[in-house]
Amino acid sequence: MQLQLNNKVILITGGAKGIGEAITRAAAEEGAIPVIIDRDEEAGKKLERELASNSATWMGAELSQSESCRRVVEAAAEKYGRIDGVVNNAGVNDRVGLEHGSPEEYLASLKRNLLHYYDMAHFALPHLKKSQGAIVNISSKTAITGQGGTSGYASAKGAILGLTREWAVELLPYGIRVNAIVPAEVMTPLYRQWLNSFPDPEEKLKKIVAKIPLGGRMTQPEDIASMAGVLLSAKAGHITGQHIFVDGGYTHLDRALT
């Protein structure tokens, strides 16, 4: 599909690995200019070199610090003269729970998983108003189903869904569209790391896959990236305020189907 993203400047947080890397690659394939915002310099520069023909740029940032978010947005705008889209993706299921956690750890989790979504959108907004751009927020099925033992991450992902609707309303006058993608079981390096924490990772994976109705397979980062590309593009020109589940039916379909 031609998404008409040629030369569109897209900021992607956590853009060097996992879902973020897949979104970066998908944007580049559609002719966009991805700005890879990631604190992993090695992974970011490696991806930048791979996508050099698409003018991709890695920019390091500590997203838990508002000033760092401001600086990276300003640097991108200065380098390219415009910003057409923001993909808020960075985060980690850090398992800060209610019983096994503390108020201080909970706040730190929100900084890792939520506050930079606001910061990035806030600082990019003047540029998005000029371009009538789009924001795509990556949430998680934990916001809908819960998981247990991960209060910080789950509440951050729930708040992201609320902000998606709130921003969609607030930004209507500017023609800026805001949508969220809600993944469930996605095979990323972090997911593989989590699987490896079990005595028998492959047996655990088999049990999870058995509960995914569509295709009996894990969601791949590229599945998320394909949806992100559409939502960033004019092909989704009348879609805003939506929570779109890319999960093979995992969250909502009857488990009896599996």
Side-chain angles (χ1 to χ4, degrees), residues 148-178:
T150 189
S151 297
Y153 183 77
S155 60
K157 294 303 183 179
I160 287 162
L161 295 180
L163 287 174
T164 296
R165 291 264 161 86
E166 167 62 18
W167 295 347
V169 173
E170 181 175 344
L171 302 181
L172 282 173
Y174 308 114
I176 298 171
R177 297 175 298 100
V178 188

Side-chain angles (χ1 to χ4, degrees), residues 237-251:
H238 211 233
I239 300 174
T240 194
Q242 299 306 302
H243 303 159
I244 299 175
F245 289 76
V246 181
D247 67 353
Y250 183 88
T251 305

Side-chain angles (χ1 to χ4, degrees), residues 115-129:
L115 302 187
H116 55 84
Y117 277 55
Y118 177 92
D119 291 344
M120 291 296 297
H122 173 74
F123 293 123
L125 183 56
H127 308 286
L128 294 174
K129 286 164 68 173

Side-chain angles (χ1 to χ4, degrees), residues 199-251:
D200 189 340
E202 291 311 308
E203 182 62 26
K204 179 66 175 178
L205 177 60
K206 190 181 299 183
K207 289 180 179 178
I208 292 168
V209 169
K211 296 176 181 177
I212 301 175
L214 184 60
R217 68 169 178 86
M218 292 286 291
T219 303
Q220 297 300 316
E222 292 75 16
D223 296 318
I224 310 300
S226 294
M227 179 55 68
V230 171
L231 292 174
L232 288 166
S233 78
K235 299 292 185 182
H238 211 233
I239 300 174
T240 194
Q242 299 306 302
H243 303 159
I244 299 175
F245 289 76
V246 181
D247 67 353
Y250 183 88
T251 305

Side-chain angles (χ1 to χ4, degrees), residues 96-115:
V96 176
L98 181 60
E99 182 178 9
H100 302 291
S102 69
E104 293 76 20
E105 289 174 309
Y106 179 72
L107 180 58
S109 180
L110 294 185
K111 287 183 178 180
R112 284 188 289 270
N113 291 300
L114 172 64
L115 302 187

